[in-house]
Amino acid sequence: MAEAFKFELVSPERLLVSEEVQSVVIPSAEGEMTVLAKHAPVMTTIKPGVVTVKSVSGQEERYVVFGGFADILPSGCTLLAESATAVKDIDRADLARRIQEAREDAADAKDDEGKTRAEAFLAQLTTLEGAILPA
């Protein structure tokens, strides 16, 4: 059995997770990262995606995050999310609203850099929608 470590998932609204876990998969800006006990120290930004938390009992919980950053230390991991919700609590209408806002941001961008950022965020949201919601 994998060694346990402390994981916390915090959003501006509330503390979603604070427990000893076996592993956490996070959607870092560099790609998906699996965090285990005694991980090398890393701080990374988080892109919109799904965080998978495997508890000490072996059960998995999934959470959708919309940006933020993770502080990973050998003793634990803290993920501070701009917004976070359990996958089981996802509201299809809220996700559709976020996608529509991202489309509008891309259309209203004043320069190429802003348009590129908005289009990348829109692509992440639509990929996320496909990954967590049934058709």
Side-chain angles (χ1 to χ4, degrees):
M1 184 167 115
E3 188 175 335
F5 65 97
K6 180 73 169 192
F7 174 68
E8 290 188 331
L9 172 58
V10 183
S11 75
E13 299 84 31
R14 65 190 169 126
L15 175 65
L16 284 95
V17 179
S18 180
E19 64 184 75
E20 296 287 317
V21 301
Q22 283 186 35
S23 67
V24 178
V25 179
I26 60 174
S28 79
E30 293 81 30
E32 274 195 353
M33 290 179 63
T34 300
V35 180
L36 300 170
K38 300 182 181 175
H39 195 287
V42 176
M43 184 169 277
T44 185
T45 55
I46 300 299
K47 66 180 183 178
V50 176
V51 174
T52 304
V53 180
K54 187 172 186 179
S55 70
V56 174
S57 67
Q59 293 182 318
E60 288 189 355
E61 290 285 332
R62 297 175 0 131
Y63 300 86
V64 173
V65 294
F66 290 97
F69 69 93
D71 185 18
I72 303 166
L73 299 168
S75 60
C77 174
T78 301
L79 194 157
L80 302 173
E82 291 174 15
S83 174
T85 307
V87 167
K88 63 185 179 194
D89 298 334
I90 287 292
D91 178 357
R92 183 182 275 276
D94 179 56
L95 186 55
R97 178 188 55 77
R98 288 177 186 261
I99 290 171
Q100 182 57 38
E101 288 173 0
R103 283 189 179 117
E104 291 169 5
D105 289 347
D108 295 342
K110 303 286 187 223
D111 57 30
D112 287 342
E113 182 180 338
K115 186 172 186 72
T116 299
R117 273 197 316 268
E119 287 174 345
F121 185 63
L122 175 59
Q124 291 170 346
L125 288 176
T126 54
T127 299
L128 178 61
E129 179 184 42
I132 64 170
L133 296 176

